[in-house]
Every structure is written in C-alpha cells, then in structure tokens.
Amino acid sequence: MNAVDASDHYEVSSHEATPSLLSIVIDTNPRAWAALNDVLPLSKAIANVLVFVNAHLAFSNANQVAIFASHSNRAVWLYPAKPEPATANGAAASEDVAMTGVDAFAPTPNQSSANKFPQFAQIESAVMSSMRKLVDATTEADLACTTTQLSGALTLALAHINKTSLSLNETNKAPDVPRSTSSALSRLRARIFILSVSDSEPVQYISTMNAVFAAAHSQIPIDTLALSGDATFLQQASYITDGTFMQAASPRGLLSYLMFAYAADAEARSSLIPPTHHTVDFRAACFCHGRVVDTGFVCSICLSIFCDVPEGSECLTCGTKLSLGSYGAKPAVVPRRKKKKKRTVLANGHIREETGSAAGTPRPG
C-alpha cells in the first residue's frame, strides 16, 4: 500500500492516562494559625490550596484529589465529604423525588456560578463546609493541645490511596486474574503533600514513622511545606520517601511554593531538578519519655530507643537484657610513673640531681 500512494502508514494506538492521586494533609493547629494570622490567615491559605488542587485536576481528567485536616485532637476528612445520612422517610435512600411542595429541580440560592468549572465548585464547597464544621466543633479544651494528629492524618491518606488503587485494579483487571496490591499501586501515581505549621510531636514519633515506612514501601512520596515550626520528623519522612521538603522563608508566597515546587508528580520529577533541603535532622524520639535525643541506647532486638539506661537494663518494649558492657563503670586511674633522677658528681665532691631539663640554670657572668 505504501508503494501505491507513496505514503507512510502508522498504527495509532490509544493509551489511557495513568491517574494521579494527590492527598493533601493540612495542619489546622489553632494556636499555630493564630500566630500566623497577621502574615497568612487560614482562610487565605485554604484558598491557595484550592487553586493548587484545581491545577492538579486540570492536568488530566483522570487525576484525583483527597484533602484531610490534621487537627489538635483528631484527623478529619475534608474532601471527599461523608455522604449525608438517610432521612426518616427514606427519601434520600431512593431515587424518588420527595413530594414536599417544593420544586426539587429549581435553582437554589447557593448554586455555583456558570463561569466556574462544576468539579472545582464542588470541591470548594465541600472543603469550606467541612472546615466550617471543624472550626465550629473546636472547643476551649481542644485549644489546650499544642500539637496535631499528624500520624492519624497520614494513616487516613494511606488507607484512601490503598482503597483507590484496589478499586482501580478491580475495574481494569480481567475476571479470572487474582488481585494484587503491588500491581494495583503500579496503576496509580499517588503522593502525599503536607502543609505543616506545628512542631513535630515526640509522642507521635513511632506512629508517624510507621506511616512513613509504609509509604516508602508503597513508593508513595511525602512532600512537606513547613510554614512555621520545627518539622523534624517530616524532614525524615520526605528524605525516606524521596519527597520534597521545604521551609518557607515567606509564608505569604504559599501559592508560589505550591505551583512551582509541588505541582509535578513523581513521574514528572524524573525529568526535573526538584528543590532539596541542604540539611536533614535525623534525631529520633526516645521510647521512654518521648524526648528528641541526639544520642541514646538502642535495643538490638526491637530497635527501641532510650534516652537513659532503663531500670534493670531491660528493654521496656521487648524485655531483652541490654548489653551495656563497661558503661557506667569508673575508669581505672593509673598513677604516673616517676622518672628517676640522675645524679652527677661534681669536681668539688658534691652530688647534683638532674631533673631532665633541657639546659642548666644560667649563672651570672
């Protein structure tokens, strides 16, 4: 055929785009945001995050997003929102229109503008509604806690990623092919982005590191943008999972950080040079008191870390007897050996003892 019309023919094959799931964890610590209120209010930060979400969804129709809030005493879903419970008459559970005398198809006052993409408007409405409920449910007792439940939010994000990947695998696999978690994750490009404003809580070190190692095993990078505070554990999380960690020098430029440093997913970053943090704080928290330590004692069986020797030299986690060697023993003091003095007989018969000095005592001329 090519010889007849002198044209080249190519086989055109269509490939479906690999979906990219972006899970965003927002640190909603009330005390931290109150300190940042003059520089960057929480409402403006949420608006910048929504612009970042819209940009991610605009890259491909297959892209997905999930947003979580790490609050002072709990981790909360912001989007997707929980479905509304069924009403007493069961109208919400069925597809029938409730005969209440009100036109169900009439436009509501809260209807989104025609100039806004419907999916963007839906996400914005769900996030703002969930944030409003979270703020209204915050009591004075919740303000006493200065930390956030970051480990719980990471666990929710990982569970949602795993559920999404399995559902995607169920949709695309053949009926007689067994389900595999590793193959499901390979069909989904997932990553976690954390917007942090609080210090790392030593009490949550174990649970946070468990979530980080689970993300590293599933090849899910964890990106972190710290607006304030000392995010020690999040530096380690980004380093272990091959993510990006940045300490924002100017929180006012939040949108610039999001669009220029975190818009690319893991596949696109292989062709780019992402920003890196020049130092990583690898300090760990002890299992006995929850303090961040520079040096400590590590159990050789369960790798538990202790800031001081436990009572009885036994590991508080597994009960193994710690082998401390000669730690704590007083060093042996060896007396210095005295040098023997040399005796020299002078011409007048007197004996002089030499102390080993380089030169003798000078005499007046």
Side-chain angles (χ1 to χ4, degrees):
M1 187 65 183
N2 294 342
V4 174
D5 56 4
S7 62
D8 295 331
H9 297 271
Y10 302 94
E11 294 183 359
V12 180
S13 58
S14 60
H15 299 280
E16 295 183 359
T18 303
S20 177
L21 174 58
L22 173 61
S23 300
I24 301 177
V25 177
I26 303 177
D27 185 354
T28 57
N29 186 353
R31 289 178 175 267
W33 282 109
L36 284 174
N37 189 50
D38 296 337
V39 179
L40 180 67
L42 178 59
S43 58
K44 189 174 182 179
I46 295 296
N48 293 339
V49 171
L50 289 176
V51 174
F52 175 59
V53 168
N54 295 344
H56 171 74
L57 296 177
F59 282 139
S60 174
N61 292 332
N63 288 356
Q64 303 178 26
V65 68
I67 307 176
F68 310 88
S70 176
H71 206 51
S72 57
N73 58 350
R74 60 190 180 276
V76 182
W77 281 83
L78 297 182
Y79 179 83
K82 294 189 300 183
E84 295 294 334
T87 57
N89 55 5
S94 63
E95 297 180 356
D96 297 335
V97 178
M99 306 300 293
T100 57
V102 180
D103 188 2
F105 300 98
T108 59
N110 296 329
Q111 188 177 11
S112 60
S113 173
N115 297 327
K116 185 178 295 185
F117 190 64
Q119 187 179 8
F120 297 168
Q122 178 187 2
I123 295 176
E124 179 182 354
S125 176
V127 170
M128 298 306 295
S129 176
S130 301
M131 281 297 302
R132 192 176 298 107
K133 293 179 181 178
L134 179 62
V135 172
D136 294 340
T138 303
T139 60
E140 294 183 0
D142 299 336
L143 299 179
C145 184
T146 59
T147 59
T148 59
Q149 297 296 328
L150 179 62
S151 58
L154 284 176
T155 304
L156 285 178
L158 291 173
H160 178 69
I161 291 173
N162 185 64
K163 182 179 179 180
T164 304
S165 61
L166 292 179
S167 62
L168 181 65
N169 190 34
E170 288 289 344
T171 305
N172 298 333
K173 78 178 185 66
D176 55 345
V177 177
R179 183 174 63 181
S180 174
T181 305
S182 59
S183 62
L185 288 175
S186 62
R187 298 175 180 269
L188 179 69
R189 293 198 302 265
R191 58 190 174 111
I192 299 176
F193 171 76
I194 302 176
L195 183 63
S196 174
V197 294
S198 306
D199 297 337
S200 295
E201 175 58 31
V203 178
Q204 300 184 31
Y205 174 76
I206 301 176
S207 55
T208 301
M209 286 296 108
N210 288 340
V212 169
F213 290 135
H217 179 73
S218 302
Q219 298 181 356
I220 301 174
I222 298 179
D223 302 329
T224 303
L225 177 60
L227 299 180
S228 64
D230 186 11
T232 303
F233 301 154
L234 293 181
Q235 293 185 30
Q236 302 178 24
S238 299
Y239 179 82
I240 294 172
T241 60
D242 199 16
T244 301
F245 177 86
M246 291 187 65
Q247 185 79 35
S250 176
R252 294 179 184 271
L254 173 60
L255 185 58
S256 300
Y257 287 107
L258 295 176
M259 300 301 293
F260 290 98
Y262 298 99
D265 58 4
E267 183 178 357
R269 291 177 189 178
S270 59
S271 303
L272 302 174
I273 302 178
T276 57
H277 200 62
H278 61 283
T279 58
V280 180
D281 192 351
F282 288 105
R283 291 183 300 170
C286 66
F287 285 35
C288 48
H289 303 93
R291 294 195 296 256
V292 178
V293 295
D294 297 323
T295 58
F297 302 88
V298 181
C299 176
S300 59
I301 303 300
C302 64
L303 302 181
S304 298
I305 304 172
F306 305 100
C307 60
D308 201 356
V309 180
E311 184 178 357
S313 300
E314 292 185 357
C315 176
L316 302 179
T317 304
C318 63
T320 304
K321 188 73 173 181
L322 301 181
S323 178
L324 301 177
S326 59
Y327 175 80
K330 294 183 179 180
V333 179
V334 180
R336 186 175 60 178
R337 185 178 180 181
K338 295 182 179 180
K339 295 182 179 180
K340 293 183 178 181
K341 298 181 180 180
K342 296 181 180 180
R343 294 185 177 184
T344 305
V345 180
L346 302 178
N348 55 4
H350 295 284
I351 299 176
R352 185 181 67 180
E353 295 182 354
E354 296 181 358
T355 58
S357 57
T361 304
R363 297 180 179 181

